[in-house]
DNA sequence: TTGTAGGCGTTATCAA
DNA sequence: TTGATAACGCCTACAA
């Protein structure tokens, strides 16, 4: 039973620090709570002793009484997808700076929300939850959450989502996809495209259905033919095969608007390396997202950009606000999109 | 005070379930603990009531007494990197199946281990920690962990790591890079490469220094000239610029062995799209990792594969074993590498 | 198989 | 500014 106590005797507790520093247990607690009142010199002494003993307050015990876990749950169908991994990275960084840790859960690939998973997650009591899985009603999600208020990402036509409205409280991030889509279509039209194909994303994805709807609408507004719908699922391989089908079985197109950048890559490679067509000479290609790979020289993709930093900042704002004022009215943050012109249209 | 209690009255507790099901509080606890003895029909009734009340045991409270958080910490410098995001994805899936949740932390990009971050993480009491950040001594890391035993990924020459050995317990995953590197060099040599450049990764990365060392060793064993060392940091952009430097300022090479696939992509694009050289005609390129993008037609990269599934399975085995028998001796799992031949050598 | 009692490490409450 | 005391929700004894 030495002063320093042997390392493997287990983790230092507030009691131990208190004894070592000749103060009460409560004082130790206060030393780690910036807005608690404690004589500065006393706090310093306690923190010094704590450092020596390698003490950190136990979040589990703390959360038991404060009802704050400092955990933010993220439910993701596919961590590997470039867009989502970027978003996870940025969100984790931003939340970490605010004292929250990221709790990562993997949902099934079909975008469905496994009730088992939700139940499981509930056990960890996340202060907030961000679901990258879209096809679940706010009511259902919030039924699994206690204090947490869900955040939804919605697109363009807020009314389409209004049908799902209910008494349940939830915050929203509205992405104005139309801005960027209009610019893209105008560019394609300007370069002479007449027959535009939409290479879709996962059917269950709200982002996808809204992109499709919005592209059709913009084409109509500009007096162009409706888009040729090509099935996809956001992956390279499916995009590749669907593009081959479009030109070998179907009747082709002079422009492809892909639901995401990775899909655009698959289309470009199919066109250039298997169909012997030139991009943008024979077929123009536009993507969606503007992931870092979009500027890689092999693709140099013209794409509709959703600004990641803006998006993450907006999400963090929503989360922090809701944590500070749990009963506040629901809030909508808005994000715009814009076309980034590179080399696949021209 | 209705039967069902109003939703926002807060989360259901074991007491509430016990009252509702006419059993004791302990019975509820046992119902959620498969190896506790409880009359089956009683368990069923309790679980049914629990489901109705949307009750889940509170992990924080549970961990306080069991000393098991069911949290696995992952410290990652860059979630976006394709290799790491793959590994996070697979690990999270595997751990989730075993009842563990992933707690994600972002380390600084320079691979250093922020003591603040470690202290912060400690508060969450992870049962295990996987650090993708390599340059930290086991002693330091385990100083911040209580029950958790660190896992290290080491490369080829186990002796090089032995210098860092200490009384501290830690498990190891040994990656035999030499197998794949030998195959790659043999292929390059067979196709006539004489002057091979090594396009490095982050200097602080152990994987990188060992790859460089091993390539030099293999070249020497085969009577070839030592590699031209080209600085890199695993990113596309740096690889791109370094390749330009190699050919414009330096004296070129007839083959480039990149420390990772993304770097190889940068090299290929610089060669083809800016230097006007053909790959593999003028310059052959080999990568490392075999990420999904390596088979994209624009690159079709010949690369040394580290099998992700094997790697994840080995890590999970190490973690679960350590959790089951915390005092077991340290264990080493071994992984091999092999060349995947595609179109950038020939 | 069941129930009672006690404690895990922390913070909120209240009185000094 | 301080300190004693009582929770927080759960699980592990132990005894019935």
């Amino acid at each position: 039973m030495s002063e320093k106590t042997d390392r493997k005797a287990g983790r230092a507790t507030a009691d131990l620090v208190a004894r070592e520093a000749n103060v009460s247990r409560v004082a130790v607690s206060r030393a780690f709570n910036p807005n608690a009142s404690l004589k500065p010199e006393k706090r310093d002494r306690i923190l010094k002793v704590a450092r020596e003993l390698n003490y950190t307050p136990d979040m589990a015990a703390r959360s038991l009484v404060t009802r704050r876990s400092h955990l933010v749950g993220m439910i993701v169908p596919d961590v590997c997808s470039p867009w989502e991994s970027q978003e996870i990275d940025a969100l984790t960084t931003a939340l970490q700076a605010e004292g929250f840790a990221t709790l990562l859960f993997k949902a099934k690939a079909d975008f469905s929300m496994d009730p088992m998973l939700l139940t499981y997650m509930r056990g960890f009591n996340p202060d907030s939850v961000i679901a990258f899985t879209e096809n679940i009603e706010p009511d259902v999600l919030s039924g699994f959450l206690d204090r947490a208020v869900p955040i939804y990402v919605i697109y363009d036509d807020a009314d389409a989502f209004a049908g799902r409205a209910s008494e349940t409280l939830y915050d929203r991030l509205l992405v104005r996809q139309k801005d960027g889509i209009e610019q893209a279509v105008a560019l394609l039209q300007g370069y002479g495209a007449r027959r535009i194909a939409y290479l879709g994303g996962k059917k269950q994805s709200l982002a996808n259905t809204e992109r499709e709807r919005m592209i059709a609408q913009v084409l109509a507004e500009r007096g162009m033919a409706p888009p040729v719908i090509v099935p996809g699922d956001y992956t390279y391989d499916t995009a590749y095969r669907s593009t081959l089908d479009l030109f070998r079985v179907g009747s082709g197109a002079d422009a492809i608007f892909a639901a995401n950048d990775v899909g655009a890559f698959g289309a470009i490679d199919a066109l250039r390396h298997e169909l012997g067509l030139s991009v943008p000479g024979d077929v123009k290609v536009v993507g969606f997202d503007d992931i870092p790979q979009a500027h890689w020289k092999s693709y140099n993709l013209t794409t509709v950009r959703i600004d990641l930093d803006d998006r993450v900042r907006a999400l963090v704002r929503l989360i922090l606000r809701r944590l500070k004022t749990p009963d506040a009215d629901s809030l909508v943050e808005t994000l715009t999109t814009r076309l980034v012109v590179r080399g696949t249209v021209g």
Side-chain angles (χ1 to χ4, degrees), chain A:
Chain A
M1 302 294 179
S2 71
E3 277 302 270
K4 297 276 171 188
T5 71
D6 47 330
R7 290 259 307 281
K8 285 297 168 194
R11 138 167 216 169
T13 132
D15 275 306
L16 184 62
V17 176
R19 219 176 309 139
E20 209 79 12
N22 273 318
V23 296
S24 73
R25 177 167 66 252
V26 209
V28 176
S29 171
R30 287 201 245 265
F32 280 89
N33 210 305
N35 22 11
S37 62
L38 188 67
K39 201 155 37 171
E41 56 165 326
K42 195 171 198 172
R43 164 169 283 135
D44 292 343
R45 194 172 80 241
I46 294 175
L47 291 178
K48 182 165 164 288
V49 173
R51 223 172 304 122
E52 282 169 13
L53 294 174
N54 204 3
Y55 165 80
T56 319
D58 185 323
M59 296 300 271
R62 172 181 280 177
S63 82
L64 207 54
V65 42
T66 59
R67 335 283 351 223
R68 283 258 138 104
S69 63
H70 286 259
L71 256 24
V72 173
M74 293 192 198
I75 305 179
V76 189
D78 180 12
V79 181
C80 309
S81 124
W83 173 262
E84 290 182 0
S85 67
Q86 261 195 101
E87 193 159 356
I88 294 169
D89 189 298
L91 273 171
T92 298
T93 306
L95 290 171
Q96 201 165 293
E98 301 285 343
F100 291 90
T102 298
L103 205 51
L104 198 61
F105 295 95
K106 232 202 121 182
K108 287 185 295 189
D110 67 353
F111 274 51
S112 78
M113 202 59 127
D114 185 358
M116 287 287 292
L117 176 62
L118 286 175
T119 303
Y120 177 56
M121 185 186 69
R122 240 175 76 84
F124 290 98
N125 262 311
D127 287 337
S128 187
V129 171
I130 302 173
F132 289 70
T133 299
E134 300 169 326
N135 57 345
I136 182 183
E137 307 295 319
D139 288 344
V140 179
L141 181 52
S142 77
F144 282 92
L145 272 24
D146 306 294
R147 327 182 282 284
V149 173
I151 298 175
Y152 273 76
V153 179
I154 58 179
Y155 299 91
D156 295 295
D157 194 355
D159 296 338
F161 201 75
R164 299 163 71 167
S166 58
E167 324 93 59
T168 311
L169 189 66
Y170 59 94
D171 297 312
R172 304 170 193 69
L173 178 62
L174 171 63
V175 181
R176 299 209 155 286
Q177 300 188 126
K178 192 171 185 186
D179 308 342
I181 289 175
E182 255 175 4
Q183 296 163 11
V185 171
L187 189 75
L188 290 171
Q189 193 177 23
Y191 277 108
R194 311 263 311 160
R195 184 178 159 77
I196 297 181
Y198 175 68
L199 173 54
K202 277 223 177 72
K203 291 222 178 34
Q204 306 91 338
S205 150
L206 227 101
N208 174 53
T209 52
E210 281 305 301
R211 270 165 214 178
E212 179 176 330
R213 214 171 56 77
M214 199 50 66
I215 286 172
Q217 183 183 318
V218 169
L219 287 178
E221 285 171 7
R222 303 186 136 260
M224 300 178 73
V228 180
I229 304 300
V230 180
D233 59 4
Y234 291 136
T235 69
Y236 175 95
D237 290 331
T238 302
Y240 190 93
R241 280 191 300 268
S242 282
T243 303
L244 294 184
D245 286 348
L246 173 64
F247 282 81
R248 289 195 174 148
V249 183
S251 38
D254 52 17
I256 296 178
F257 202 144
N260 67 332
D261 289 346
V262 173
F265 299 156
I268 291 173
D269 281 349
L271 292 166
R272 286 182 180 157
H273 299 287
E274 189 135 357
L275 294 166
L277 295 170
S278 116
V279 176
D282 299 317
V283 183
K284 301 156 204 350
V285 177
V286 175
F288 217 109
D289 286 344
D290 195 25
I291 59 178
Q293 287 88 330
H295 88 263
W296 287 5
K297 282 282 197 289
S298 285
Y299 298 111
N300 197 24
L301 182 70
T302 294
T303 186
V304 176
R305 177 178 179 85
I306 302 177
D307 193 89
L308 180 75
D309 289 341
D310 289 348
R311 177 161 173 155
V312 167
R313 263 196 290 274
L315 284 174
V316 171
R317 268 200 305 274
L318 287 176
I319 294 171
L320 296 180
R321 166 179 173 275
R322 182 58 63 190
L323 288 174
K324 260 166 216 152
T325 54
D327 300 319
D329 283 342
S330 67
L331 183 65
V332 180
E333 292 262 5
T334 302
L335 227 58
T336 59
T337 55
R338 67 165 221 278
L339 187 67
V340 176
V341 180
R342 295 202 183 89
T344 53
V345 177

